[in-house]
Amino acid sequence: DTEVTQTPKHLVMGMTNKKSLKCEQHMGHRAMYWYKQKAKKPPELMFVYSYEKLSINESVPSRFSPECPNSSLLNLHLHALQPEDSALYLCASSQDPYEQYFGPGTRLTVT
Amino acid sequence: RKEVEQDPGPFNVPEGATVAFNCTYSNSASQSFFWYRQDCRKEPKLLMSVYSSGNEDGRFTAQLNRASQYISLLIRDSKLSDSATYLCVEPFMDTGRRALTFGSGTRLQVQP
């Protein structure tokens, strides 16, 4: 079983809604990541937090807003999304910056 | 950013077969890679790391060929449960940032 948990597993939201995705890791890792994955495509990096500070933002639109309340938690706040934002959103954590462990993901559908 | 390239497959093999995938990369300075496995509608899971000395774990062997700039994953005695997409992953450092570049994946289907 993964030690990175994500909630909710599935989310359907309208384009005017505000919702949040949550991620928690129980391994004491110092870095946490958000990825977006479309069907039959590899994960695309969105954000990296290192020691609770945002270290990488891959030019993600402002309708996605990450937050790292503490070293174990990572949130992704969603507002005014578009249908093309529908995807699997994966959270990952790592101690070594390269060996990353993924959560099960949140499958998001924007209607 | 440099890229890694993979044959998307699918590779259809019978149970018990030996199958190998390659992944080519363009950054000649890269010294380590990872193979991740992703089952349908699941998250990627780290399978093994690959350094110049290679790596073997049970039925799985990964090798890095720096001269020809490719890495390989060999699976012996394939099981039905090996059916998945195998992602070749390159670590990179870009202006002080460390992250991973994922290949597009190779799909393996092991058939009874």
Side-chain angles (χ1 to χ4, degrees):
Chain A
D1 286 343
T2 181
E3 294 187 68
V4 179
T5 58
Q6 290 186 243
T7 56
K9 285 187 166 48
H10 301 275
L11 178 63
V12 179
M13 60 186 290
M15 289 189 284
T16 58
N17 292 158
K18 285 185 182 180
K19 297 286 185 184
S20 296
L21 310 185
K22 297 186 183 300
C23 174
E24 186 169 10
Q25 57 97 2
H26 308 282
M27 294 176 281
H29 288 168
R30 63 185 184 184
M32 296 185 76
Y33 311 79
W34 278 116
Y35 288 86
K36 172 183 177 180
Q37 187 174 25
K38 302 282 276 184
K40 300 189 187 302
K41 298 288 187 184
E44 297 175 15
L45 183 65
M46 300 175 72
F47 302 104
V48 180
Y49 273 83
S50 179
Y51 292 104
E52 301 168 48
K53 294 193 188 314
L54 183 65
S55 62
I56 296 180
N57 176 341
E58 291 288 85
S59 302
V60 178
S62 60
R63 56 187 185 267
F64 295 91
S65 174
E67 178 198 17
C68 189
N70 60 54
S71 59
S72 300
L73 294 173
L74 185 65
N75 299 323
L76 186 63
H77 302 298
L78 313 173
H79 174 53
L81 295 193
Q82 303 297 310
E84 60 264 29
D85 296 322
S86 299
L88 179 67
Y89 287 84
L90 293 160
C91 172
S93 71
S94 68
Q95 184 61 22
D96 178 303
Y98 299 131
E99 290 196 14
Q100 296 181 19
Y101 295 86
F102 287 81
T106 293
R107 194 161 296 280
L108 174 67
T109 303
V110 182
T111 60
Chain B
R1 182 174 305 162
K2 307 295 185 180
E3 293 184 352
V4 292
E5 295 189 5
Q6 297 182 249
D7 181 341
F11 284 58
N12 296 304
V13 302
E15 270 187 290
T18 295
V19 61
F21 317 130
N22 285 345
C23 163
T24 59
Y25 63 93
S26 55
N27 183 1
S28 59
S30 293
Q31 299 185 41
S32 64
F33 292 83
F34 299 98
W35 283 104
Y36 277 74
R37 168 202 170 121
Q38 186 169 24
D39 293 287
C40 187
R41 301 179 72 81
K42 299 284 191 180
E43 75 273 21
K45 292 188 177 179
L46 180 62
L47 182 63
M48 58 199 315
S49 55
V50 193
Y51 301 96
S52 56
S53 56
N55 196 356
E56 183 171 332
D57 183 4
R59 298 182 293 108
F60 297 82
T61 300
Q63 292 188 316
L64 168 60
N65 184 316
R66 296 193 67 194
S68 301
Q69 293 187 208
Y70 73 88
I71 67 169
S72 63
L73 178 66
L74 180 77
I75 306 175
R76 290 179 294 277
D77 188 23
S78 300
K79 312 290 185 192
L80 294 176
S81 57
D82 294 333
S83 298
T85 295
Y86 291 83
L87 298 161
C88 170
V89 181
E90 178 185 18
F92 73 89
M93 181 183 294
D94 182 5
T95 60
R97 314 176 313 166
R98 295 184 182 186
L100 299 176
T101 295
F102 284 81
S104 56
T106 296
R107 195 157 73 86
L108 171 66
Q109 185 67 47
V110 181
Q111 296 165 334

Short mmCIF file of all heavy atoms in Angstrom, two decimals, chain A residues 2-51:
data_model
loop_
_atom_site.label_atom_id
_atom_site.label_comp_id
_atom_site.label_asym_id
_atom_site.label_seq_id
_atom_site.Cartn_x
_atom_site.Cartn_y
_atom_site.Cartn_z
N THR A 2 0.41 2.26 -0.78
CA THR A 2 1.17 3.47 -0.88
C THR A 2 1.15 4.21 0.46
O THR A 2 0.17 4.17 1.19
CB THR A 2 0.61 4.36 -2.00
OG1 THR A 2 1.39 5.53 -2.09
CG2 THR A 2 -0.84 4.74 -1.72
N GLU A 3 2.26 4.90 0.76
CA GLU A 3 2.29 5.72 1.97
C GLU A 3 2.02 7.17 1.64
O GLU A 3 2.20 8.04 2.46
CB GLU A 3 3.64 5.54 2.65
CG GLU A 3 3.83 4.13 3.19
CD GLU A 3 5.09 4.02 4.03
OE1 GLU A 3 5.15 4.60 5.11
OE2 GLU A 3 6.02 3.33 3.58
N VAL A 4 1.65 7.45 0.40
CA VAL A 4 1.20 8.76 0.00
C VAL A 4 -0.29 8.63 -0.27
O VAL A 4 -0.71 7.81 -1.08
CB VAL A 4 1.93 9.25 -1.27
CG1 VAL A 4 1.42 10.63 -1.67
CG2 VAL A 4 3.43 9.26 -1.05
N THR A 5 -1.08 9.39 0.46
CA THR A 5 -2.53 9.29 0.30
C THR A 5 -3.07 10.56 -0.35
O THR A 5 -2.52 11.66 -0.14
CB THR A 5 -3.22 9.08 1.65
OG1 THR A 5 -2.88 10.16 2.54
CG2 THR A 5 -2.79 7.77 2.29
N GLN A 6 -4.11 10.39 -1.13
CA GLN A 6 -4.73 11.52 -1.81
C GLN A 6 -6.24 11.44 -1.67
O GLN A 6 -6.82 10.35 -1.75
CB GLN A 6 -4.38 11.53 -3.30
CG GLN A 6 -2.93 11.86 -3.59
CD GLN A 6 -2.66 12.02 -5.08
OE1 GLN A 6 -1.89 11.26 -5.66
NE2 GLN A 6 -3.30 13.00 -5.71
N THR A 7 -6.84 12.59 -1.46
CA THR A 7 -8.30 12.67 -1.43
C THR A 7 -8.75 13.90 -2.20
O THR A 7 -8.05 14.91 -2.24
CB THR A 7 -8.83 12.78 0.02
OG1 THR A 7 -8.21 13.91 0.66
CG2 THR A 7 -8.55 11.52 0.82
N PRO A 8 -9.92 13.82 -2.84
CA PRO A 8 -10.72 12.61 -3.02
C PRO A 8 -10.14 11.72 -4.11
O PRO A 8 -9.24 12.12 -4.81
CB PRO A 8 -12.08 13.20 -3.44
CG PRO A 8 -11.71 14.43 -4.22
CD PRO A 8 -10.49 15.00 -3.52
N LYS A 9 -10.68 10.54 -4.27
CA LYS A 9 -10.24 9.66 -5.37
C LYS A 9 -10.79 10.15 -6.69
O LYS A 9 -10.15 10.03 -7.74
CB LYS A 9 -10.71 8.23 -5.12
CG LYS A 9 -9.93 7.48 -4.07
CD LYS A 9 -10.35 6.02 -4.00
CE LYS A 9 -9.39 5.16 -3.21
NZ LYS A 9 -9.00 5.69 -1.92
N HIS A 10 -12.02 10.61 -6.67
CA HIS A 10 -12.68 11.12 -7.87
C HIS A 10 -13.32 12.47 -7.53
O HIS A 10 -13.79 12.67 -6.41
CB HIS A 10 -13.79 10.17 -8.35
CG HIS A 10 -13.30 8.79 -8.67
ND1 HIS A 10 -12.77 8.45 -9.89
CD2 HIS A 10 -13.27 7.67 -7.92
CE1 HIS A 10 -12.44 7.17 -9.87
NE2 HIS A 10 -12.72 6.67 -8.69
N LEU A 11 -13.34 13.36 -8.52
CA LEU A 11 -13.95 14.67 -8.32
C LEU A 11 -14.54 15.13 -9.64
O LEU A 11 -13.85 15.12 -10.66
CB LEU A 11 -12.91 15.67 -7.82
CG LEU A 11 -13.38 17.10 -7.61
CD1 LEU A 11 -14.46 17.16 -6.53
CD2 LEU A 11 -12.20 18.01 -7.22
N VAL A 12 -15.81 15.52 -9.58
CA VAL A 12 -16.46 16.14 -10.74
C VAL A 12 -16.82 17.56 -10.32
O VAL A 12 -17.44 17.77 -9.28
CB VAL A 12 -17.73 15.37 -11.15
CG1 VAL A 12 -18.38 16.06 -12.35
CG2 VAL A 12 -17.39 13.92 -11.50
N MET A 13 -16.40 18.53 -11.10
CA MET A 13 -16.69 19.91 -10.75
C MET A 13 -17.05 20.72 -11.99
O MET A 13 -16.60 20.42 -13.10
CB MET A 13 -15.51 20.55 -10.02
CG MET A 13 -14.21 20.60 -10.80
SD MET A 13 -12.82 21.23 -9.81
CE MET A 13 -13.26 22.96 -9.62
N GLY A 14 -17.85 21.73 -11.76
CA GLY A 14 -18.21 22.65 -12.83
C GLY A 14 -17.15 23.72 -12.98
O GLY A 14 -16.27 23.88 -12.12
N MET A 15 -17.24 24.45 -14.07
CA MET A 15 -16.21 25.44 -14.37
C MET A 15 -16.23 26.63 -13.42
O MET A 15 -15.25 27.38 -13.36
CB MET A 15 -16.34 25.89 -15.83
CG MET A 15 -15.94 24.82 -16.82
SD MET A 15 -15.85 25.42 -18.51
CE MET A 15 -17.59 25.51 -18.90
N THR A 16 -17.31 26.80 -12.67
CA THR A 16 -17.35 27.93 -11.73
C THR A 16 -17.06 27.50 -10.29
O THR A 16 -17.03 28.33 -9.39
CB THR A 16 -18.73 28.61 -11.78
OG1 THR A 16 -19.72 27.62 -11.46
CG2 THR A 16 -19.00 29.18 -13.17
N ASN A 17 -16.87 26.20 -10.09
CA ASN A 17 -16.65 25.70 -8.73
C ASN A 17 -15.25 26.01 -8.21
O ASN A 17 -14.31 26.24 -8.98
CB ASN A 17 -16.86 24.18 -8.67
CG ASN A 17 -18.28 23.76 -8.89
OD1 ASN A 17 -18.54 22.63 -9.28
ND2 ASN A 17 -19.22 24.64 -8.65
N LYS A 18 -15.13 25.95 -6.88
CA LYS A 18 -13.83 25.95 -6.21
C LYS A 18 -13.72 24.65 -5.42
O LYS A 18 -14.63 24.35 -4.63
CB LYS A 18 -13.71 27.12 -5.23
CG LYS A 18 -13.50 28.47 -5.84
CD LYS A 18 -13.28 29.50 -4.74
CE LYS A 18 -13.10 30.89 -5.31
NZ LYS A 18 -12.86 31.89 -4.25
N LYS A 19 -12.65 23.94 -5.63
CA LYS A 19 -12.43 22.69 -4.91
C LYS A 19 -10.95 22.58 -4.56
O LYS A 19 -10.12 23.33 -5.09
CB LYS A 19 -12.83 21.49 -5.77
CG LYS A 19 -14.30 21.43 -6.14
CD LYS A 19 -15.15 21.01 -4.97
CE LYS A 19 -16.61 20.84 -5.40
NZ LYS A 19 -17.48 20.54 -4.24
N SER A 20 -10.64 21.62 -3.69
CA SER A 20 -9.25 21.38 -3.33
C SER A 20 -8.94 19.90 -3.36
O SER A 20 -9.76 19.08 -2.96
CB SER A 20 -8.96 21.92 -1.92
OG SER A 20 -9.11 23.32 -1.88
N LEU A 21 -7.74 19.60 -3.83
CA LEU A 21 -7.20 18.25 -3.75
C LEU A 21 -6.21 18.21 -2.59
O LEU A 21 -5.47 19.18 -2.37
CB LEU A 21 -6.48 17.86 -5.04
CG LEU A 21 -7.22 18.08 -6.35
CD1 LEU A 21 -6.40 17.54 -7.52
CD2 LEU A 21 -8.60 17.47 -6.32
N LYS A 22 -6.20 17.07 -1.89
CA LYS A 22 -5.33 16.96 -0.72
C LYS A 22 -4.39 15.77 -0.87
O LYS A 22 -4.75 14.74 -1.42
CB LYS A 22 -6.16 16.82 0.55
CG LYS A 22 -7.04 18.03 0.82
CD LYS A 22 -7.75 17.93 2.15
CE LYS A 22 -8.67 19.12 2.36
NZ LYS A 22 -7.95 20.41 2.35
N CYS A 23 -3.20 15.94 -0.33
CA CYS A 23 -2.18 14.90 -0.38
C CYS A 23 -1.47 14.88 0.97
O CYS A 23 -1.17 15.94 1.54
CB CYS A 23 -1.19 15.20 -1.49
SG CYS A 23 0.24 14.09 -1.54
N GLU A 24 -1.19 13.67 1.45
CA GLU A 24 -0.47 13.54 2.71
C GLU A 24 0.54 12.40 2.57
O GLU A 24 0.23 11.36 2.01
CB GLU A 24 -1.44 13.25 3.85
CG GLU A 24 -0.78 13.23 5.23
CD GLU A 24 -1.79 13.23 6.37
OE1 GLU A 24 -3.00 13.05 6.11
OE2 GLU A 24 -1.37 13.38 7.52
N GLN A 25 1.74 12.64 3.07
CA GLN A 25 2.74 11.58 3.05
C GLN A 25 3.23 11.32 4.46
O GLN A 25 3.36 12.25 5.26
CB GLN A 25 3.90 11.92 2.10
CG GLN A 25 4.62 13.22 2.37
CD GLN A 25 5.88 13.08 3.18
OE1 GLN A 25 6.29 11.97 3.53
NE2 GLN A 25 6.52 14.19 3.48
N HIS A 26 3.51 10.05 4.72
CA HIS A 26 3.84 9.61 6.07
C HIS A 26 5.25 9.06 6.15
O HIS A 26 5.55 8.22 7.01
CB HIS A 26 2.82 8.55 6.51
CG HIS A 26 1.40 8.98 6.35
ND1 HIS A 26 0.78 9.82 7.23
CD2 HIS A 26 0.48 8.71 5.38
CE1 HIS A 26 -0.47 10.03 6.84
NE2 HIS A 26 -0.67 9.38 5.71
N MET A 27 6.11 9.51 5.25
CA MET A 27 7.46 8.95 5.17
C MET A 27 8.53 9.94 5.62
O MET A 27 9.72 9.63 5.51
CB MET A 27 7.73 8.46 3.74
CG MET A 27 6.84 7.30 3.35
SD MET A 27 7.06 6.78 1.63
CE MET A 27 6.10 8.03 0.78
N GLY A 28 8.13 11.12 6.07
CA GLY A 28 9.11 12.12 6.49
C GLY A 28 9.90 12.71 5.35
O GLY A 28 11.00 13.24 5.55
N HIS A 29 9.36 12.61 4.12
CA HIS A 29 10.08 13.15 2.97
C HIS A 29 10.09 14.67 2.98
O HIS A 29 9.17 15.31 3.50
CB HIS A 29 9.44 12.65 1.68
CG HIS A 29 9.70 11.20 1.41
ND1 HIS A 29 9.01 10.50 0.45
CD2 HIS A 29 10.57 10.33 1.99
CE1 HIS A 29 9.45 9.24 0.44
NE2 HIS A 29 10.39 9.12 1.37
N ARG A 30 11.13 15.25 2.36
CA ARG A 30 11.29 16.69 2.42
C ARG A 30 10.75 17.40 1.18
O ARG A 30 10.68 18.62 1.14
CB ARG A 30 12.77 17.04 2.57
CG ARG A 30 13.60 16.58 1.38
CD ARG A 30 15.06 16.81 1.59
NE ARG A 30 15.84 16.46 0.42
CZ ARG A 30 17.15 16.50 0.37
NH1 ARG A 30 17.84 16.89 1.42
NH2 ARG A 30 17.79 16.16 -0.73
N ALA A 31 10.44 16.65 0.14
CA ALA A 31 9.95 17.27 -1.08
C ALA A 31 8.61 16.64 -1.48
O ALA A 31 8.40 15.43 -1.30
CB ALA A 31 10.95 17.08 -2.22
N MET A 32 7.73 17.47 -2.02
CA MET A 32 6.43 16.98 -2.49
C MET A 32 6.13 17.62 -3.83
O MET A 32 6.58 18.74 -4.12
CB MET A 32 5.33 17.27 -1.46
CG MET A 32 5.55 16.53 -0.14
SD MET A 32 4.21 16.74 1.05
CE MET A 32 2.95 15.65 0.35
N TYR A 33 5.36 16.90 -4.64
CA TYR A 33 5.18 17.26 -6.04
C TYR A 33 3.71 17.11 -6.45
O TYR A 33 3.01 16.22 -5.97
CB TYR A 33 6.01 16.32 -6.95
CG TYR A 33 7.44 16.13 -6.54
CD1 TYR A 33 7.78 15.27 -5.49
CD2 TYR A 33 8.47 16.80 -7.20
CE1 TYR A 33 9.11 15.10 -5.12
CE2 TYR A 33 9.80 16.62 -6.83
CZ TYR A 33 10.10 15.77 -5.79
OH TYR A 33 11.41 15.60 -5.42
N TRP A 34 3.30 17.95 -7.37
CA TRP A 34 2.03 17.74 -8.07
C TRP A 34 2.33 17.49 -9.55
O TRP A 34 3.12 18.22 -10.17
CB TRP A 34 1.11 18.96 -7.97
CG TRP A 34 0.33 19.06 -6.71
CD1 TRP A 34 0.43 20.04 -5.75
CD2 TRP A 34 -0.70 18.18 -6.24
NE1 TRP A 34 -0.45 19.81 -4.73
CE2 TRP A 34 -1.17 18.67 -5.00
CE3 TRP A 34 -1.28 17.00 -6.74
CZ2 TRP A 34 -2.17 18.05 -4.26
CZ3 TRP A 34 -2.28 16.38 -6.01
CH2 TRP A 34 -2.71 16.91 -4.78
N TYR A 35 1.68 16.45 -10.09
CA TYR A 35 1.75 16.13 -11.50
C TYR A 35 0.34 16.07 -12.07
O TYR A 35 -0.62 15.72 -11.38
CB TYR A 35 2.39 14.75 -11.73
CG TYR A 35 3.86 14.64 -11.47
CD1 TYR A 35 4.34 14.38 -10.19
CD2 TYR A 35 4.79 14.73 -12.51
CE1 TYR A 35 5.71 14.25 -9.95
CE2 TYR A 35 6.15 14.59 -12.27
CZ TYR A 35 6.59 14.35 -10.99
OH TYR A 35 7.94 14.22 -10.76
N LYS A 36 0.27 16.32 -13.37
CA LYS A 36 -0.99 16.14 -14.11
C LYS A 36 -0.73 15.06 -15.16
O LYS A 36 0.30 15.09 -15.84
CB LYS A 36 -1.37 17.45 -14.81
CG LYS A 36 -2.55 17.34 -15.76
CD LYS A 36 -2.78 18.70 -16.43
CE LYS A 36 -3.91 18.62 -17.45
NZ LYS A 36 -4.15 19.94 -18.10
N GLN A 37 -1.66 14.10 -15.30
CA GLN A 37 -1.49 13.06 -16.29
C GLN A 37 -2.77 12.88 -17.09
O GLN A 37 -3.82 12.55 -16.55
CB GLN A 37 -1.09 11.72 -15.63
CG GLN A 37 -0.74 10.65 -16.66
CD GLN A 37 -0.21 9.37 -16.04
OE1 GLN A 37 -0.51 9.06 -14.89
NE2 GLN A 37 0.59 8.63 -16.79
N LYS A 38 -2.64 13.09 -18.39
CA LYS A 38 -3.74 12.83 -19.31
C LYS A 38 -3.64 11.37 -19.79
O LYS A 38 -2.57 10.76 -19.71
CB LYS A 38 -3.68 13.78 -20.51
CG LYS A 38 -3.71 15.25 -20.15
CD LYS A 38 -5.07 15.76 -19.81
CE LYS A 38 -5.87 16.15 -21.02
NZ LYS A 38 -7.17 16.74 -20.65
N ALA A 39 -4.75 10.87 -20.32
CA ALA A 39 -4.80 9.47 -20.74
C ALA A 39 -3.71 9.16 -21.77
O ALA A 39 -3.49 9.94 -22.71
CB ALA A 39 -6.17 9.15 -21.32
N LYS A 40 -3.03 8.05 -21.57
CA LYS A 40 -2.00 7.54 -22.47
C LYS A 40 -0.81 8.50 -22.62
O LYS A 40 -0.07 8.44 -23.61
CB LYS A 40 -2.58 7.22 -23.86
CG LYS A 40 -3.69 6.16 -23.82
CD LYS A 40 -4.06 5.73 -25.21
CE LYS A 40 -5.26 4.80 -25.22
NZ LYS A 40 -5.08 3.60 -24.43
N LYS A 41 -0.62 9.39 -21.67
CA LYS A 41 0.51 10.31 -21.65
C LYS A 41 1.28 10.13 -20.34
O LYS A 41 0.73 9.66 -19.36
CB LYS A 41 0.02 11.77 -21.75
CG LYS A 41 -0.73 12.08 -23.02
CD LYS A 41 0.21 12.14 -24.20
CE LYS A 41 -0.51 12.64 -25.44
NZ LYS A 41 0.39 12.61 -26.63
N PRO A 42 2.55 10.53 -20.32
CA PRO A 42 3.30 10.45 -19.06
C PRO A 42 2.89 11.57 -18.12
O PRO A 42 2.27 12.56 -18.55
CB PRO A 42 4.75 10.63 -19.52
CG PRO A 42 4.65 11.42 -20.77
CD PRO A 42 3.38 11.01 -21.45
N PRO A 43 3.22 11.45 -16.85
CA PRO A 43 2.94 12.54 -15.91
C PRO A 43 3.71 13.81 -16.31
O PRO A 43 4.85 13.75 -16.74
CB PRO A 43 3.46 12.00 -14.57
CG PRO A 43 3.50 10.53 -14.74
CD PRO A 43 3.81 10.28 -16.17
N GLU A 44 3.04 14.95 -16.14
CA GLU A 44 3.67 16.25 -16.40
C GLU A 44 3.81 16.99 -15.07
O GLU A 44 2.83 17.16 -14.35
CB GLU A 44 2.80 17.11 -17.32
CG GLU A 44 2.59 16.56 -18.70
CD GLU A 44 1.60 17.42 -19.49
OE1 GLU A 44 1.34 18.56 -19.07
OE2 GLU A 44 1.08 16.93 -20.51
N LEU A 45 5.02 17.43 -14.78
CA LEU A 45 5.27 18.12 -13.53
C LEU A 45 4.56 19.47 -13.51
O LEU A 45 4.60 20.23 -14.48
CB LEU A 45 6.77 18.33 -13.36
CG LEU A 45 7.24 18.97 -12.06
CD1 LEU A 45 6.93 18.09 -10.86
CD2 LEU A 45 8.73 19.27 -12.13
N MET A 46 3.90 19.75 -12.35
CA MET A 46 3.25 21.05 -12.18
C MET A 46 4.01 21.90 -11.16
O MET A 46 4.41 23.02 -11.43
CB MET A 46 1.81 20.86 -11.71
CG MET A 46 0.93 20.08 -12.66
SD MET A 46 -0.70 19.76 -11.97
CE MET A 46 -1.45 21.39 -12.04
N PHE A 47 4.15 21.36 -9.95
CA PHE A 47 4.77 22.11 -8.86
C PHE A 47 5.67 21.20 -8.04
O PHE A 47 5.42 20.01 -7.92
CB PHE A 47 3.70 22.67 -7.89
CG PHE A 47 2.68 23.56 -8.53
CD1 PHE A 47 1.40 23.09 -8.78
CD2 PHE A 47 3.00 24.88 -8.86
CE1 PHE A 47 0.44 23.91 -9.36
CE2 PHE A 47 2.05 25.70 -9.44
CZ PHE A 47 0.77 25.22 -9.69
N VAL A 48 6.70 21.83 -7.45
CA VAL A 48 7.56 21.13 -6.51
C VAL A 48 7.69 21.97 -5.25
O VAL A 48 7.96 23.18 -5.34
CB VAL A 48 8.98 20.88 -7.08
CG1 VAL A 48 9.84 20.14 -6.05
CG2 VAL A 48 8.92 20.10 -8.38
N TYR A 49 7.49 21.35 -4.11
CA TYR A 49 7.75 21.99 -2.83
C TYR A 49 8.93 21.28 -2.19
O TYR A 49 8.96 20.06 -2.11
CB TYR A 49 6.54 21.89 -1.89
CG TYR A 49 5.56 23.00 -2.07
CD1 TYR A 49 4.60 22.95 -3.07
CD2 TYR A 49 5.60 24.12 -1.24
CE1 TYR A 49 3.70 23.99 -3.25
CE2 TYR A 49 4.70 25.16 -1.40
CZ TYR A 49 3.75 25.09 -2.41
OH TYR A 49 2.86 26.11 -2.59
N SER A 50 9.88 22.08 -1.72
CA SER A 50 11.03 21.53 -1.03
C SER A 50 11.14 22.24 0.30
O SER A 50 11.20 23.48 0.33
CB SER A 50 12.30 21.73 -1.86
OG SER A 50 13.43 21.23 -1.19
N TYR A 51 11.15 21.48 1.40
CA TYR A 51 11.15 22.07 2.74
C TYR A 51 10.04 23.11 2.86
O TYR A 51 10.25 24.21 3.38
CB TYR A 51 12.51 22.68 3.07
CG TYR A 51 13.61 21.67 3.24
CD1 TYR A 51 14.56 21.49 2.24
CD2 TYR A 51 13.69 20.88 4.38
CE1 TYR A 51 15.57 20.55 2.38
CE2 TYR A 51 14.69 19.94 4.52
CZ TYR A 51 15.62 19.79 3.53
OH TYR A 51 16.63 18.85 3.67
#
